Amino acid sequence: MDVVVLLNRTIEPIGKLKKRLKRFVRRTYRSLRKHRDHSDSKVKSWIARRVLCRGLWLVDRQAMALGLSIGLAVAMLPPAPVQTLAATTLAILCRANIPLAVSAVWVSNPITWIPLLRFQEMLGSRILFGNTSDQQGTKFEMISSLTLGVVISAALLAIISYSIFHCLWGIFSRKTSEES
């Protein structure tokens, strides 16, 4: 009985959060939409038409799962000022949710960069060379192990986040439909 009460208390805020997210996305989309057709530059107009495609801003299970996985995969790349731009571009190309892709990039921030890069370098070193010690190898070994670690961590995080998002969406959509 206590578990049911706890689930109901947990699901209520999620419904409110979903409504807030829809309202925020709708307001943001409307404010950006005015630049789509009335742009001075052809380049701005072209970009606005791609970025402001309505399907890329909707709360949709598939688009949001894809946006989250793209954003987290891009977040695993070494720190660069173009992570947000890369996530937006990939979200447009893959027809994923843009706000979720861009916000997921911020998992990696200046505080987490060094531990994240160290973990990725250790992961790649362990897979490539089988060593787990903190020995410094040559520059080529460090770069190759970091590259492999980045690719593996990005791919794993994208696959895991995509799967978990779909599972959680299914669980919470069933709970909310049972309540109504």
Side-chain angles (χ1 to χ4, degrees):
M1 187 66 115
D2 294 329
V3 174
V4 173
V5 172
L6 182 64
L7 278 175
N8 287 336
R9 288 183 184 166
T10 307
I11 292 172
E12 286 176 17
I14 291 174
K16 291 178 183 177
L17 183 65
K18 188 175 177 181
K19 286 180 184 177
R20 270 194 210 151
L21 177 66
K22 282 183 178 181
R23 197 173 341 151
F24 170 74
V25 168
R26 193 177 305 126
R27 267 190 267 140
T28 305
Y29 178 77
R30 285 180 185 158
S31 69
L32 293 173
R33 187 175 55 195
K34 64 183 172 187
H35 298 291
R36 183 174 51 193
D37 300 323
H38 307 294
S39 180
D40 303 343
S41 169
K42 288 184 179 183
V43 174
K44 283 183 187 177
S45 177
W46 184 83
I47 291 172
R49 278 196 309 272
R50 300 299 182 281
V51 170
L52 297 175
C53 178
R54 188 169 183 84
L56 302 179
W57 291 80
L58 294 176
V59 177
D60 175 43
R61 181 180 189 165
Q62 179 66 24
M64 289 184 74
L66 196 56
L68 179 67
S69 64
I70 286 171
L72 290 176
V74 170
M76 292 299 107
L77 298 177
V82 295
Q83 284 180 333
T84 304
L85 182 62
T88 305
T89 305
L90 284 173
I92 290 169
L93 293 175
C94 296
R95 309 293 295 163
N97 188 286
I98 291 175
L100 196 53
V102 169
S103 61
V105 166
W106 291 98
V107 165
S108 71
N109 54 51
I111 296 171
T112 60
W113 283 343
I114 294 174
L116 185 63
L117 289 174
R118 181 69 182 135
F119 167 75
Q120 290 170 339
E121 195 268 330
M122 286 173 42
L123 176 69
S125 176
R126 185 176 184 124
I127 291 173
L128 278 178
F129 308 112
N131 60 359
T132 58
S133 64
D134 289 337
Q135 298 174 2
Q136 291 290 343
T138 63
K139 288 216 182 248
F140 176 74
E141 289 176 354
M142 289 177 59
I143 291 173
S144 60
S145 60
L146 178 63
T147 303
L148 181 66
V150 166
V151 169
I152 289 174
S153 63
L156 283 177
L157 191 58
I159 292 169
I160 291 169
S161 65
Y162 186 83
S163 303
I164 289 174
F165 186 89
H166 271 290
C167 290
L168 290 177
W169 185 286
I171 290 170
F172 286 115
S173 66
R174 249 183 268 129
K175 299 287 183 192
T176 55
S177 64
E178 289 174 2
E179 287 179 2
S180 49

PDB file of all heavy atoms in Angstrom, residues 138-165:
ATOM      1  N   THR A 138      53.962   6.574 -24.536  1.00  0.00           N
ATOM      2  CA  THR A 138      54.329   7.579 -25.517  1.00  0.00           C
ATOM      3  C   THR A 138      53.096   8.416 -25.862  1.00  0.00           C
ATOM      4  O   THR A 138      51.968   8.072 -25.509  1.00  0.00           O
ATOM      5  CB  THR A 138      54.847   6.898 -26.798  1.00  0.00           C
ATOM      6  OG1 THR A 138      53.784   6.126 -27.363  1.00  0.00           O
ATOM      7  CG2 THR A 138      56.037   6.005 -26.500  1.00  0.00           C
ATOM      8  N   LYS A 139      53.312   9.500 -26.534  1.00  0.00           N
ATOM      9  CA  LYS A 139      52.196  10.370 -26.918  1.00  0.00           C
ATOM     10  C   LYS A 139      51.216   9.632 -27.828  1.00  0.00           C
ATOM     11  O   LYS A 139      50.013   9.808 -27.721  1.00  0.00           O
ATOM     12  CB  LYS A 139      52.708  11.634 -27.594  1.00  0.00           C
ATOM     13  CG  LYS A 139      53.366  12.579 -26.660  1.00  0.00           C
ATOM     14  CD  LYS A 139      53.046  13.976 -27.080  1.00  0.00           C
ATOM     15  CE  LYS A 139      53.766  14.922 -26.162  1.00  0.00           C
ATOM     16  NZ  LYS A 139      52.890  15.654 -25.333  1.00  0.00           N
ATOM     17  N   PHE A 140      51.761   8.814 -28.731  1.00  0.00           N
ATOM     18  CA  PHE A 140      50.884   8.061 -29.626  1.00  0.00           C
ATOM     19  C   PHE A 140      49.987   7.115 -28.829  1.00  0.00           C
ATOM     20  O   PHE A 140      48.803   6.970 -29.117  1.00  0.00           O
ATOM     21  CB  PHE A 140      51.713   7.264 -30.640  1.00  0.00           C
ATOM     22  CG  PHE A 140      50.878   6.387 -31.519  1.00  0.00           C
ATOM     23  CD1 PHE A 140      50.110   6.940 -32.535  1.00  0.00           C
ATOM     24  CD2 PHE A 140      50.831   5.019 -31.308  1.00  0.00           C
ATOM     25  CE1 PHE A 140      49.318   6.136 -33.338  1.00  0.00           C
ATOM     26  CE2 PHE A 140      50.051   4.209 -32.112  1.00  0.00           C
ATOM     27  CZ  PHE A 140      49.290   4.767 -33.125  1.00  0.00           C
ATOM     28  N   GLU A 141      50.545   6.437 -27.825  1.00  0.00           N
ATOM     29  CA  GLU A 141      49.758   5.535 -26.992  1.00  0.00           C
ATOM     30  C   GLU A 141      48.669   6.299 -26.237  1.00  0.00           C
ATOM     31  O   GLU A 141      47.541   5.837 -26.129  1.00  0.00           O
ATOM     32  CB  GLU A 141      50.654   4.792 -26.003  1.00  0.00           C
ATOM     33  CG  GLU A 141      51.539   3.747 -26.632  1.00  0.00           C
ATOM     34  CD  GLU A 141      52.465   3.112 -25.630  1.00  0.00           C
ATOM     35  OE1 GLU A 141      52.512   3.552 -24.456  1.00  0.00           O
ATOM     36  OE2 GLU A 141      53.167   2.164 -26.011  1.00  0.00           O
ATOM     37  N   MET A 142      49.016   7.463 -25.724  1.00  0.00           N
ATOM     38  CA  MET A 142      48.029   8.255 -24.975  1.00  0.00           C
ATOM     39  C   MET A 142      46.912   8.733 -25.899  1.00  0.00           C
ATOM     40  O   MET A 142      45.728   8.641 -25.547  1.00  0.00           O
ATOM     41  CB  MET A 142      48.710   9.446 -24.302  1.00  0.00           C
ATOM     42  CG  MET A 142      49.586   9.060 -23.141  1.00  0.00           C
ATOM     43  SD  MET A 142      50.438  10.462 -22.403  1.00  0.00           S
ATOM     44  CE  MET A 142      49.100  11.501 -21.931  1.00  0.00           C
ATOM     45  N   ILE A 143      47.271   9.222 -27.080  1.00  0.00           N
ATOM     46  CA  ILE A 143      46.257   9.729 -28.010  1.00  0.00           C
ATOM     47  C   ILE A 143      45.377   8.598 -28.523  1.00  0.00           C
ATOM     48  O   ILE A 143      44.152   8.734 -28.594  1.00  0.00           O
ATOM     49  CB  ILE A 143      46.923  10.493 -29.168  1.00  0.00           C
ATOM     50  CG1 ILE A 143      47.532  11.786 -28.644  1.00  0.00           C
ATOM     51  CG2 ILE A 143      45.927  10.780 -30.282  1.00  0.00           C
ATOM     52  CD1 ILE A 143      48.361  12.533 -29.642  1.00  0.00           C
ATOM     53  N   SER A 144      45.982   7.468 -28.849  1.00  0.00           N
ATOM     54  CA  SER A 144      45.183   6.350 -29.357  1.00  0.00           C
ATOM     55  C   SER A 144      44.268   5.780 -28.277  1.00  0.00           C
ATOM     56  O   SER A 144      43.115   5.445 -28.554  1.00  0.00           O
ATOM     57  CB  SER A 144      46.087   5.261 -29.930  1.00  0.00           C
ATOM     58  OG  SER A 144      46.965   4.770 -28.946  1.00  0.00           O
ATOM     59  N   SER A 145      44.766   5.694 -27.045  1.00  0.00           N
ATOM     60  CA  SER A 145      43.911   5.173 -25.973  1.00  0.00           C
ATOM     61  C   SER A 145      42.804   6.174 -25.627  1.00  0.00           C
ATOM     62  O   SER A 145      41.670   5.765 -25.354  1.00  0.00           O
ATOM     63  CB  SER A 145      44.735   4.822 -24.735  1.00  0.00           C
ATOM     64  OG  SER A 145      45.412   5.950 -24.250  1.00  0.00           O
ATOM     65  N   LEU A 146      43.089   7.468 -25.675  1.00  0.00           N
ATOM     66  CA  LEU A 146      42.048   8.468 -25.429  1.00  0.00           C
ATOM     67  C   LEU A 146      40.984   8.435 -26.528  1.00  0.00           C
ATOM     68  O   LEU A 146      39.787   8.478 -26.251  1.00  0.00           O
ATOM     69  CB  LEU A 146      42.652   9.867 -25.334  1.00  0.00           C
ATOM     70  CG  LEU A 146      41.643  11.003 -25.121  1.00  0.00           C
ATOM     71  CD1 LEU A 146      40.922  10.849 -23.793  1.00  0.00           C
ATOM     72  CD2 LEU A 146      42.326  12.339 -25.207  1.00  0.00           C
ATOM     73  N   THR A 147      41.419   8.298 -27.772  1.00  0.00           N
ATOM     74  CA  THR A 147      40.472   8.244 -28.886  1.00  0.00           C
ATOM     75  C   THR A 147      39.565   7.030 -28.771  1.00  0.00           C
ATOM     76  O   THR A 147      38.344   7.147 -28.927  1.00  0.00           O
ATOM     77  CB  THR A 147      41.230   8.208 -30.232  1.00  0.00           C
ATOM     78  OG1 THR A 147      42.081   9.347 -30.304  1.00  0.00           O
ATOM     79  CG2 THR A 147      40.267   8.210 -31.397  1.00  0.00           C
ATOM     80  N   LEU A 148      40.132   5.892 -28.476  1.00  0.00           N
ATOM     81  CA  LEU A 148      39.321   4.682 -28.320  1.00  0.00           C
ATOM     82  C   LEU A 148      38.374   4.818 -27.126  1.00  0.00           C
ATOM     83  O   LEU A 148      37.202   4.431 -27.208  1.00  0.00           O
ATOM     84  CB  LEU A 148      40.212   3.450 -28.157  1.00  0.00           C
ATOM     85  CG  LEU A 148      39.461   2.134 -28.000  1.00  0.00           C
ATOM     86  CD1 LEU A 148      38.701   1.813 -29.282  1.00  0.00           C
ATOM     87  CD2 LEU A 148      40.404   1.016 -27.630  1.00  0.00           C
ATOM     88  N   GLY A 149      38.862   5.373 -26.037  1.00  0.00           N
ATOM     89  CA  GLY A 149      38.013   5.563 -24.857  1.00  0.00           C
ATOM     90  C   GLY A 149      36.853   6.508 -25.126  1.00  0.00           C
ATOM     91  O   GLY A 149      35.729   6.277 -24.664  1.00  0.00           O
ATOM     92  N   VAL A 150      37.100   7.570 -25.890  1.00  0.00           N
ATOM     93  CA  VAL A 150      36.030   8.515 -26.242  1.00  0.00           C
ATOM     94  C   VAL A 150      34.968   7.829 -27.088  1.00  0.00           C
ATOM     95  O   VAL A 150      33.776   7.950 -26.841  1.00  0.00           O
ATOM     96  CB  VAL A 150      36.614   9.748 -26.971  1.00  0.00           C
ATOM     97  CG1 VAL A 150      35.534  10.558 -27.641  1.00  0.00           C
ATOM     98  CG2 VAL A 150      37.390  10.616 -25.999  1.00  0.00           C
ATOM     99  N   VAL A 151      35.409   7.086 -28.085  1.00  0.00           N
ATOM    100  CA  VAL A 151      34.459   6.417 -28.985  1.00  0.00           C
ATOM    101  C   VAL A 151      33.628   5.385 -28.223  1.00  0.00           C
ATOM    102  O   VAL A 151      32.400   5.327 -28.367  1.00  0.00           O
ATOM    103  CB  VAL A 151      35.207   5.761 -30.172  1.00  0.00           C
ATOM    104  CG1 VAL A 151      34.302   4.853 -30.964  1.00  0.00           C
ATOM    105  CG2 VAL A 151      35.807   6.837 -31.060  1.00  0.00           C
ATOM    106  N   ILE A 152      34.274   4.586 -27.404  1.00  0.00           N
ATOM    107  CA  ILE A 152      33.555   3.543 -26.665  1.00  0.00           C
ATOM    108  C   ILE A 152      32.595   4.157 -25.653  1.00  0.00           C
ATOM    109  O   ILE A 152      31.439   3.745 -25.550  1.00  0.00           O
ATOM    110  CB  ILE A 152      34.549   2.587 -25.973  1.00  0.00           C
ATOM    111  CG1 ILE A 152      35.230   1.735 -27.032  1.00  0.00           C
ATOM    112  CG2 ILE A 152      33.852   1.710 -24.947  1.00  0.00           C
ATOM    113  CD1 ILE A 152      36.323   0.858 -26.497  1.00  0.00           C
ATOM    114  N   SER A 153      33.045   5.157 -24.898  1.00  0.00           N
ATOM    115  CA  SER A 153      32.160   5.758 -23.891  1.00  0.00           C
ATOM    116  C   SER A 153      30.988   6.489 -24.543  1.00  0.00           C
ATOM    117  O   SER A 153      29.860   6.424 -24.040  1.00  0.00           O
ATOM    118  CB  SER A 153      32.940   6.695 -22.972  1.00  0.00           C
ATOM    119  OG  SER A 153      33.480   7.777 -23.698  1.00  0.00           O
ATOM    120  N   ALA A 154      31.220   7.143 -25.669  1.00  0.00           N
ATOM    121  CA  ALA A 154      30.127   7.832 -26.359  1.00  0.00           C
ATOM    122  C   ALA A 154      29.101   6.829 -26.885  1.00  0.00           C
ATOM    123  O   ALA A 154      27.890   7.019 -26.731  1.00  0.00           O
ATOM    124  CB  ALA A 154      30.674   8.689 -27.500  1.00  0.00           C
ATOM    125  N   ALA A 155      29.585   5.759 -27.500  1.00  0.00           N
ATOM    126  CA  ALA A 155      28.661   4.761 -28.053  1.00  0.00           C
ATOM    127  C   ALA A 155      27.879   4.057 -26.949  1.00  0.00           C
ATOM    128  O   ALA A 155      26.654   3.893 -27.051  1.00  0.00           O
ATOM    129  CB  ALA A 155      29.435   3.742 -28.879  1.00  0.00           C
ATOM    130  N   LEU A 156      28.560   3.652 -25.894  1.00  0.00           N
ATOM    131  CA  LEU A 156      27.868   2.974 -24.794  1.00  0.00           C
ATOM    132  C   LEU A 156      26.845   3.885 -24.117  1.00  0.00           C
ATOM    133  O   LEU A 156      25.726   3.461 -23.827  1.00  0.00           O
ATOM    134  CB  LEU A 156      28.880   2.467 -23.765  1.00  0.00           C
ATOM    135  CG  LEU A 156      29.631   1.208 -24.134  1.00  0.00           C
ATOM    136  CD1 LEU A 156      30.649   0.860 -23.059  1.00  0.00           C
ATOM    137  CD2 LEU A 156      28.677   0.052 -24.341  1.00  0.00           C
ATOM    138  N   LEU A 157      27.230   5.120 -23.863  1.00  0.00           N
ATOM    139  CA  LEU A 157      26.311   6.034 -23.202  1.00  0.00           C
ATOM    140  C   LEU A 157      25.107   6.338 -24.083  1.00  0.00           C
ATOM    141  O   LEU A 157      23.973   6.438 -23.596  1.00  0.00           O
ATOM    142  CB  LEU A 157      27.026   7.335 -22.821  1.00  0.00           C
ATOM    143  CG  LEU A 157      26.260   8.267 -21.895  1.00  0.00           C
ATOM    144  CD1 LEU A 157      25.901   7.568 -20.591  1.00  0.00           C
ATOM    145  CD2 LEU A 157      27.063   9.501 -21.610  1.00  0.00           C
ATOM    146  N   ALA A 158      25.308   6.457 -25.378  1.00  0.00           N
ATOM    147  CA  ALA A 158      24.190   6.709 -26.290  1.00  0.00           C
ATOM    148  C   ALA A 158      23.227   5.530 -26.307  1.00  0.00           C
ATOM    149  O   ALA A 158      22.006   5.704 -26.211  1.00  0.00           O
ATOM    150  CB  ALA A 158      24.711   6.995 -27.696  1.00  0.00           C
ATOM    151  N   ILE A 159      23.740   4.316 -26.394  1.00  0.00           N
ATOM    152  CA  ILE A 159      22.885   3.128 -26.435  1.00  0.00           C
ATOM    153  C   ILE A 159      22.147   2.939 -25.119  1.00  0.00           C
ATOM    154  O   ILE A 159      20.932   2.679 -25.096  1.00  0.00           O
ATOM    155  CB  ILE A 159      23.725   1.881 -26.779  1.00  0.00           C
ATOM    156  CG1 ILE A 159      24.226   1.977 -28.215  1.00  0.00           C
ATOM    157  CG2 ILE A 159      22.932   0.607 -26.563  1.00  0.00           C
ATOM    158  CD1 ILE A 159      25.282   0.945 -28.566  1.00  0.00           C
ATOM    159  N   ILE A 160      22.857   3.097 -24.016  1.00  0.00           N
ATOM    160  CA  ILE A 160      22.227   2.905 -22.706  1.00  0.00           C
ATOM    161  C   ILE A 160      21.172   3.972 -22.438  1.00  0.00           C
ATOM    162  O   ILE A 160      20.073   3.671 -21.974  1.00  0.00           O
ATOM    163  CB  ILE A 160      23.309   2.887 -21.599  1.00  0.00           C
ATOM    164  CG1 ILE A 160      24.144   1.618 -21.725  1.00  0.00           C
ATOM    165  CG2 ILE A 160      22.697   3.002 -20.222  1.00  0.00           C
ATOM    166  CD1 ILE A 160      25.391   1.609 -20.866  1.00  0.00           C
ATOM    167  N   SER A 161      21.472   5.230 -22.744  1.00  0.00           N
ATOM    168  CA  SER A 161      20.505   6.296 -22.483  1.00  0.00           C
ATOM    169  C   SER A 161      19.270   6.155 -23.366  1.00  0.00           C
ATOM    170  O   SER A 161      18.151   6.408 -22.923  1.00  0.00           O
ATOM    171  CB  SER A 161      21.149   7.670 -22.674  1.00  0.00           C
ATOM    172  OG  SER A 161      21.511   7.856 -24.029  1.00  0.00           O
ATOM    173  N   TYR A 162      19.454   5.730 -24.603  1.00  0.00           N
ATOM    174  CA  TYR A 162      18.317   5.513 -25.510  1.00  0.00           C
ATOM    175  C   TYR A 162      17.402   4.422 -24.954  1.00  0.00           C
ATOM    176  O   TYR A 162      16.176   4.582 -24.901  1.00  0.00           O
ATOM    177  CB  TYR A 162      18.849   5.124 -26.896  1.00  0.00           C
ATOM    178  CG  TYR A 162      17.794   5.003 -27.959  1.00  0.00           C
ATOM    179  CD1 TYR A 162      17.339   6.117 -28.634  1.00  0.00           C
ATOM    180  CD2 TYR A 162      17.267   3.769 -28.297  1.00  0.00           C
ATOM    181  CE1 TYR A 162      16.378   6.013 -29.627  1.00  0.00           C
ATOM    182  CE2 TYR A 162      16.307   3.656 -29.279  1.00  0.00           C
ATOM    183  CZ  TYR A 162      15.868   4.771 -29.941  1.00  0.00           C
ATOM    184  OH  TYR A 162      14.915   4.660 -30.913  1.00  0.00           O
ATOM    185  N   SER A 163      17.992   3.325 -24.506  1.00  0.00           N
ATOM    186  CA  SER A 163      17.202   2.216 -23.964  1.00  0.00           C
ATOM    187  C   SER A 163      16.494   2.592 -22.673  1.00  0.00           C
ATOM    188  O   SER A 163      15.304   2.296 -22.487  1.00  0.00           O
ATOM    189  CB  SER A 163      18.102   1.001 -23.721  1.00  0.00           C
ATOM    190  OG  SER A 163      18.747   0.631 -24.894  1.00  0.00           O
ATOM    191  N   ILE A 164      17.214   3.237 -21.776  1.00  0.00           N
ATOM    192  CA  ILE A 164      16.622   3.628 -20.498  1.00  0.00           C
ATOM    193  C   ILE A 164      15.499   4.639 -20.707  1.00  0.00           C
ATOM    194  O   ILE A 164      14.457   4.564 -20.049  1.00  0.00           O
ATOM    195  CB  ILE A 164      17.701   4.179 -19.539  1.00  0.00           C
ATOM    196  CG1 ILE A 164      18.596   3.029 -19.066  1.00  0.00           C
ATOM    197  CG2 ILE A 164      17.093   4.901 -18.356  1.00  0.00           C
ATOM    198  CD1 ILE A 164      19.775   3.466 -18.234  1.00  0.00           C
ATOM    199  N   PHE A 165      15.687   5.566 -21.624  1.00  0.00           N
ATOM    200  CA  PHE A 165      14.640   6.555 -21.887  1.00  0.00           C
ATOM    201  C   PHE A 165      13.370   5.876 -22.372  1.00  0.00           C
ATOM    202  O   PHE A 165      12.272   6.194 -21.923  1.00  0.00           O
ATOM    203  CB  PHE A 165      15.111   7.585 -22.918  1.00  0.00           C
ATOM    204  CG  PHE A 165      14.142   8.713 -23.116  1.00  0.00           C
ATOM    205  CD1 PHE A 165      14.224   9.844 -22.323  1.00  0.00           C
ATOM    206  CD2 PHE A 165      13.140   8.640 -24.062  1.00  0.00           C
ATOM    207  CE1 PHE A 165      13.329  10.889 -22.476  1.00  0.00           C
ATOM    208  CE2 PHE A 165      12.240   9.672 -24.226  1.00  0.00           C
ATOM    209  CZ  PHE A 165      12.335  10.792 -23.438  1.00  0.00           C
TER     210      PHE A 165
END
